[in-house]
């Protein structure tokens, strides 16, 4: 996923007023749209055809930002969409792994109840999404 595709500047993370979960859900929804979209049932069928089943409720929670999905759920969805498009090989998951790690860092900062010190923010940004 390129910055143009996801509509975000590199390393941006969530804009003001958006939670990390909502930001990550936006990334997932953009990826689904880029890969042909579909209903939750269509996505469940795609994961089943790729032998990477993901429950409808799990997809709904991940794409709505209601819960942070497991990394395996994200990887299965990305792989299933890749497979559904008939693309060869396996998709590159590194960008998703970095985005997921950044999401967890942001969530951890939020749970701590304080903003990160400037030096720590730089550390988090160095691990930010690099597509």
């Amino acid at each position: 996923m390129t910055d143009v595709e996801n509509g975000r500047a590199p390393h941006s993370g969530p804009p003001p007023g958006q939670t990390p979960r909502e930001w990550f859900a936006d990334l997932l929804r953009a990826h689904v749209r880029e890969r042909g979209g579909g209903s939750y049932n269509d996505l469940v069928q795609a994961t089943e055809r790729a032998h990477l089943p993901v429950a409808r409720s799990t997809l709904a929670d991940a794409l709505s930002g209601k819960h942070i999905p497991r990394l395996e759920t994200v990887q299965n969805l990305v792989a299933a969409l890749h497979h559904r498009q008939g693309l060869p090989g396996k998709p590159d998951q590194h960008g998703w792994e970095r985005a997921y790690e950044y999401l967890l860092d942001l969530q951890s900062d939020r749970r701590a109840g304080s903003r990160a010190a400037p030096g720590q923010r730089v550390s988090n940004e160095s691990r930010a999404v690099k597509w």
Side-chain angles (χ1 to χ4, degrees):
M1 177 180 351
T2 67
D3 298 327
V4 171
E5 291 170 335
N6 69 28
R8 302 218 180 271
H11 320 293
S12 64
Q18 187 178 45
T19 69
R21 279 192 333 251
E22 292 166 340
W23 165 76
F24 194 78
D26 278 353
L27 292 179
L28 284 175
R29 285 191 304 270
H31 188 73
V32 168
R33 281 191 306 274
E34 293 161 12
R35 302 299 185 264
S39 68
Y40 289 127
N41 289 334
D42 294 337
L43 298 176
V44 167
Q45 289 174 2
T47 64
E48 289 171 351
R49 281 193 298 274
H51 305 288
L52 302 164
V54 177
R56 184 184 191 285
S57 61
T58 302
L59 286 173
D61 287 351
L63 294 171
S64 71
K66 182 177 181 179
H67 297 290
I68 294 176
R70 294 181 328 166
L71 178 58
E72 179 183 18
T73 299
V74 174
Q75 292 170 326
N76 286 352
L77 177 59
V78 169
L81 293 171
H82 183 87
H83 181 264
R84 181 176 78 174
Q85 285 191 296
L87 298 172
K90 295 181 179 182
D92 181 7
Q93 298 274 8
H94 292 96
W96 285 107
E97 290 164 3
R98 287 189 299 271
Y100 191 81
E101 182 179 317
Y102 189 49
L103 167 67
L104 295 180
D105 286 346
L106 292 170
Q107 281 294 111
S108 177
D109 288 349
R110 285 178 57 93
R111 279 191 213 115
S114 64
R115 295 197 173 256
Q120 184 176 352
R121 183 71 178 159
V122 170
S123 173
N124 285 347
E125 288 175 1
S126 70
R127 292 187 289 187
V129 183
K130 296 179 186 174
W131 302 99

